[in-house]
Amino acid sequence: TGEVGDGAGVGGAEPCVVLRHREGEFRRPVHPKKGSVVPLPPRKMVRTIEAKLGGASRLAVCRGEASVVSDEEKQEMIRRRLREKAEEKMKAEAERSRRLAEKKKRMAEAAAHAEAQRKAAEAKRRKEEQILRRQRAERAEEERRQQMLRAEEEERVRRAQMEADAAAAREQARLAEERARLDRERALAEEQRRRKEAEEAAAAEEERRRAREKAAAERAAEEERRRQERRARDAAVAATLDSERRVREAREAADRARREEEE
């Protein structure tokens, strides 16, 4: 594309014409599956990329051949540029109007869609509220029924506990009475045992006393027997000694008589 410079050239020279590449919305094509860049064929490349204003190629621009143009060509290029700018402006206005209309249409559709969604959400909310109210009522009814069941169960448990407490009290009274009876029986048995032990101790003491008396009597009789035996032995010894003395005296008397006779 060609543009005319705003300022004058150096030393009052004529304005220069600058050639630029045409700008467009061209993008490198990409393979839809592989994702790699697809190279363009030569003709499409020339038609899309290398085409310049006035048929000038990139090589001509690089060599400076496109800069040598006449005044008529410059004016034609300026008028063409102005027409293109006017067309582009009109196209831009039309595109802007179209986009604005599309935007308004989209906004209206979005508003209608949002309103529909709001109404649907409101209906859903109301339905959910009805469901929640029904669920709350059902839960309240279930809670009331559960409370009644719990109250009945607690009453049953309380009565059972009262009956169990009464039975336990009766059992404790019976056990206390049984313990008292056993204590009385044990006390009576202990008294009888002590009395029997006392009687047995007295009998044993009497038996020991009798045994001691018997042993003492036996010892006395034994001592008396021994004294009598000693007396008898002493008497026998004394008799023996007396008989021996008498025999000795008789012998001495006979000896004296014989001596006397001999004399």
Side-chain angles (χ1 to χ4, degrees), residues 44-57:
K44 188 173 181 60
M45 185 182 298
V46 171
R47 185 173 63 252
T48 306
I49 300 175
E50 298 295 337
K52 302 296 187 298
L53 181 61
S57 64

Side-chain angles (χ1 to χ4, degrees), residues 4-239:
V4 178
D6 294 335
V10 179
E14 295 180 355
C16 62
V17 177
V18 180
L19 295 178
R20 295 183 180 178
H21 295 284
R22 184 174 58 186
E23 296 178 358
E25 297 181 354
F26 173 75
R27 293 186 179 88
R28 285 180 173 273
V30 180
H31 197 278
K33 294 183 179 179
K34 298 180 180 180
S36 59
V37 177
V38 179
L40 294 174
R43 290 186 63 187
K44 188 173 181 60
M45 185 182 298
V46 171
R47 185 173 63 252
T48 306
I49 300 175
E50 298 295 337
K52 302 296 187 298
L53 181 61
S57 64
R58 180 179 294 179
L59 182 58
V61 173
C62 293
R63 290 176 177 177
E65 296 175 357
S67 298
V68 183
V69 292
S70 62
D71 293 338
E72 291 80 5
E73 290 177 350
K74 290 179 183 179
Q75 295 297 327
E76 181 65 25
M77 290 170 61
I78 291 171
R79 286 192 295 272
R80 187 183 302 172
R81 178 60 178 170
L82 292 175
R83 284 195 302 272
E84 288 178 356
K85 282 185 178 181
E87 292 175 358
E88 289 176 358
K89 186 175 181 180
M90 292 176 63
K91 289 180 180 178
E93 288 293 336
E95 182 67 20
R96 187 162 49 251
S97 299
R98 185 184 63 80
R99 289 182 181 179
L100 183 60
E102 289 180 356
K103 184 178 180 181
K104 290 180 179 179
K105 183 179 178 181
R106 287 195 300 270
M107 290 176 65
E109 291 176 354
H113 183 66
E115 182 66 19
Q117 287 184 345
R118 188 186 64 78
K119 291 181 179 179
E122 183 67 19
K124 184 178 180 182
R125 184 182 62 80
R126 291 178 180 176
K127 185 176 180 181
E128 289 177 352
E129 287 180 354
Q130 292 177 358
I131 295 172
L132 288 175
R133 284 196 296 271
R134 186 172 63 253
Q135 289 178 354
R136 289 195 193 98
E138 291 176 356
R139 283 197 297 269
E141 181 65 22
E142 181 67 20
E143 183 67 22
R144 189 180 64 80
R145 189 177 66 81
Q146 291 295 331
Q147 288 180 357
M148 292 178 60
L149 292 176
R150 284 195 296 270
E152 293 176 358
E153 182 67 18
E154 289 175 358
E155 182 65 20
R156 185 184 64 79
V157 171
R158 188 180 64 81
R159 290 180 180 178
Q161 186 65 32
M162 290 176 62
E163 292 177 358
D165 294 340
R170 291 194 298 271
E171 183 66 19
Q172 288 179 358
R174 187 186 66 78
L175 291 175
E177 184 179 356
E178 184 69 19
R179 284 195 295 270
R181 184 181 63 79
L182 291 175
D183 291 339
R184 290 193 299 272
E185 290 179 356
R186 282 196 295 269
L188 182 60
E190 184 67 20
E191 184 64 24
Q192 291 177 357
R193 185 184 64 79
R194 285 198 296 269
R195 189 181 297 114
K196 185 177 180 181
E197 287 180 354
E199 291 175 357
E200 290 178 353
E205 185 64 25
E206 182 67 20
E207 185 68 24
R208 287 193 295 272
R209 187 183 64 77
R210 290 177 182 177
R212 286 196 299 272
E213 291 178 355
K214 183 178 179 181
E218 289 178 353
R219 284 195 301 272
E222 183 67 21
E223 289 177 356
E224 183 65 23
R225 186 181 62 77
R226 288 179 180 177
R227 281 196 299 270
Q228 289 178 3
E229 286 180 355
R230 282 196 301 273
R231 290 174 184 174
R233 284 195 302 271
D234 292 344
V237 170

